[in-house]
Amino acid sequence: MPRMVTFRSETRDDVGNVLVQQATGVINEAPVGQGMSVTPAEVAPGGFFDVRILATDPEGRPLIYSLTSSEGVISQPDPTAQPNLFRVQV
């Protein structure tokens, strides 16, 4: 649930008339990480690791994932259905 901020202003003229206005804004929180999983834990040269990034957005918005690796070639088997899953061949 997004957090709301409420702003209220008062504007007065020299005879005492008052205009009161109100507006709101939304605080967009950063995604919350729940970790990463790597399976299998060990592979031979030329093998594949599956890396899954676990995160949620407090406002329920879709997330965009990316991954870097110190070795290997990174691909995404199904970026539409599983945008948080990457495959790394080492």
Side-chain angles (χ1 to χ4, degrees), residues 23-59:
T24 58
V26 176
I27 299 173
N28 185 353
E29 300 287 341
V32 177
Q34 286 106 14
M36 291 174 51
S37 65
V38 177
T39 55
E42 185 176 322
V43 296
F48 292 90
F49 288 107
D50 283 340
V51 181
R52 186 175 307 272
I53 301 169
L54 306 172
T56 57
D57 183 81
E59 292 82 32

Side-chain angles (χ1 to χ4, degrees), residues 54-74:
L54 306 172
T56 57
D57 183 81
E59 292 82 32
R61 292 189 169 125
L63 296 175
I64 299 168
Y65 300 89
S66 65
L67 180 73
T68 60
S69 175
S70 62
E71 288 189 42
V73 176
I74 300 171

